[in-house]
Amino acid sequence: MTPEPHSPAGTDDLALDPPPGCPAHGRGPGGLHRLYGPEAEDLGALYEELRDEHGAVAPVLLHNDVPIWVVLGHAENLHMVSTPTHFSRDSRLWTAVKDGTAGPDHPLAPHIAWQPICSHAEGDEHLRLRGAVMGAMSTINHRTIRRHINRATQILVNRFCEKGRAELVGQFAEHLPMAVLCQILGMPDEYDDRLVQATRDLLKGTATAIASNEYVMDILIRHTARRRDQPGDDFTGHLINHPAGLTDDEVAQHLRLVLLAAYEATANLLANVLRVVLIDPRFRARLNGGQMTVPEAVEQSLWDEPPFSAVLGYFAKQDTELGGRTIRRGDGLILGIAPGNIDPRVRPDLKANMMGNRSHLAFGGGPHECPGQDIGRAIADVGVEALLMRLPDVELDGDEDELRWRSSMSSRHLVELPVYFEPRPPEEVQDVSPASPVPPQRQPWQVGGDQPAASAPWREPSLPMSTPAPMTTPPAPAQAPTPAPVRPAGAWQRFLAWWRGY
């Protein structure tokens, strides 16, 4: 028996066009809301409207009016990502891909197109690919990566500390993650403004997203070939040499996965944490008083302003139900991180302090939970701490209402964060050398096995990272200059010194 055709977003019971004067007039086909264009300028408000109208799972339209579901409930999102028997990340299952309405020329093609990467694979292939990524990450020396983050922060702060003013999005939050990630991947010479901007652009679904994706992939493909010929002791080198035997294409695609996910998430996270520190006196008072650590501040931000507001996508492998809605085989679904994080069933009071609670959706969950989340956490923890250590008197330059945001379906991030502070001279930046030999990789595909012990205290070392190549600086002068008088440390600096164990 041949089933009757249906709308992939559950619009069977909706008229194709709303009547004139209807509140739905001006929406897309079937009276569905669009997640792009003028109607989606405030996605947060749109998600709440959808929740009121449809509940935990709502039918919507992507670019070019492609129908899809957006999952708004916290429990429903967790069920979707944790049930691989019903939902897959293989976009080749999506009806819109099969019929060409979400083809290679679609504005969201970089998000949609299937790639030979662990986040799109299942079963044994997923274990093979994710095992290689985790094996490469398991070679990281945790103390060394924190030193690299601190060193990169010092270099960036030195560029503006004498001026007494800075713009912390463009001069800090957008650059620190890329500088550190390029070091981890073993390609520090590729770090520049163009790579930063191309990486941000390809995630926005803009007219130039496809070209930006091609630019980034060209860099990663050339780096993979270079590292294949010249083995290196970095993430790329360990990924290439893993017993899983990844092809050059698989290596380059996984470098893209790590670079994009960790970079975009961390750039947004850095800006969001700094914004809250600057605008909320109660938040900053807790930090100064020792009642909230920087890692706890990061987790609060991951609840309130997750780096990725939504992820496309998951795809139904069979007919099923989710949030009381009938999901048909071949339907596409969006992981609604931001709306799931503020689901009133789990957060009735959005002003409540989450006290380091990690049950947010910021890094997904299930077998495809973000493998690089601790890279982002480390960069945010150390970067924010180091910047505030250098600039303890930093203040927002202007009113909070003047801050501008740029939004897309996948993320919402600050355009700029202007600040002022007492001008300070640049500080000497120390070289970074490995504190101990690089540990061997774990046995292949032991994704759930025990991790090697960290060489320094570290928050949840469940996801080690690859040891970057050392960054070099000119040799120190033979005769050190006479030190300037040292001012007593302030309360903020004393707290940070205590927290770091000094």
Side-chain angles (χ1 to χ4, degrees), residues 130-439:
R130 189 175 177 96
V133 172
M134 300 297 285
M137 287 183 174
S138 72
T139 61
I140 188 64
N141 180 295
H142 300 290
R143 178 173 295 178
T144 300
I145 194 61
R146 292 176 75 91
R147 290 174 176 170
H148 278 298
I149 298 167
N150 184 71
R151 183 178 189 275
T153 297
Q154 304 308 326
I155 291 173
L156 290 171
V157 173
N158 277 349
R159 295 177 180 176
F160 54 73
C161 63
E162 293 181 288
K163 300 177 182 178
R165 293 184 180 275
E167 195 283 284
L168 292 183
V169 174
Q171 293 181 274
F172 185 72
E174 289 187 344
H175 283 269
L176 178 61
M178 187 61 73
V180 174
L181 288 168
C182 284
Q183 191 72 31
I184 290 173
L185 300 184
M187 44 182 250
D189 292 341
E190 299 290 354
Y191 163 59
D192 59 19
D193 287 346
R194 186 178 180 188
L195 181 59
V196 169
Q197 298 308 318
T199 303
R200 298 221 83 166
D201 180 63
L202 73 87
L203 292 167
K204 297 175 184 176
T206 64
T208 57
I210 295 176
S212 294
N213 183 64
E214 291 175 350
Y215 174 77
V216 172
M217 282 306 303
D218 179 65
I219 289 176
L220 297 177
I221 290 171
R222 287 189 288 105
H223 174 58
T224 299
R226 182 170 58 248
R227 187 57 76 238
R228 179 80 72 177
D229 294 336
Q230 303 171 5
D233 194 16
D234 50 46
F235 180 89
T236 306
H238 287 289
L239 193 61
I240 289 173
N241 293 324
H242 192 273
L246 271 63
T247 65
D248 281 5
D249 184 45
E250 289 174 332
V251 170
Q253 293 290 353
H254 281 87
L255 295 182
R256 177 186 183 273
L257 174 66
V258 172
L259 183 69
L260 297 189
Y263 169 73
E264 177 72 5
T266 309
N268 291 342
L269 180 60
L270 275 171
N272 292 338
V273 173
L274 287 169
R275 176 186 64 87
V276 175
V277 169
L278 292 169
I279 68 175
D280 190 339
R282 296 170 300 172
F283 190 93
R284 198 163 187 175
R286 292 194 194 102
L287 285 171
N288 288 337
Q291 298 177 18
M292 176 180 286
T293 64
V294 173
E296 288 174 338
V298 170
E299 296 306 319
Q300 184 70 36
S301 179
L302 289 170
W303 275 103
D304 297 336
E305 196 69 56
F308 286 114
S309 53
V311 173
L312 176 68
Y314 281 77
F315 309 95
K317 300 168 68 174
Q318 60 186 36
D319 290 356
T320 186
E321 287 190 6
L322 185 65
R325 307 305 296 260
T326 299
I327 309 297
R328 302 291 183 87
R329 178 181 179 182
D331 282 3
L333 303 98
I334 296 172
L335 171 61
I337 296 173
N341 274 359
I342 60 173
D343 185 340
R345 294 174 296 176
V346 296
R347 291 188 69 190
D349 181 7
L350 296 180
K351 296 182 179 179
N353 186 347
M354 300 307 291
M355 302 298 292
N357 186 322
R358 287 192 171 194
S359 58
H360 52 71
L361 301 170
F363 297 115
H368 294 294
E369 184 175 9
C370 176
Q373 59 184 276
D374 281 357
I375 297 176
R377 279 192 172 103
I379 294 173
D381 291 349
V382 179
V384 171
E385 175 194 332
L387 183 139
L388 294 177
M389 195 75 166
R390 285 284 301 275
L391 308 174
D393 59 341
V394 63
E395 298 286 349
L396 182 66
D397 189 2
D399 296 329
E400 177 187 356
D401 295 341
E402 298 174 351
L403 296 177
R404 295 183 296 116
W405 297 80
R406 181 176 293 117
S407 299
S408 66
M409 187 199 73
S410 62
S411 66
R412 175 179 182 263
H413 60 265
L414 279 171
V415 175
E416 57 187 9
L417 189 62
V419 296
Y420 66 91
F421 46 86
E422 184 70 23
R424 290 169 174 80
E427 294 185 0
E428 181 180 0
V429 180
Q430 299 296 323
D431 191 9
V432 178
S433 300
S436 60
V438 177

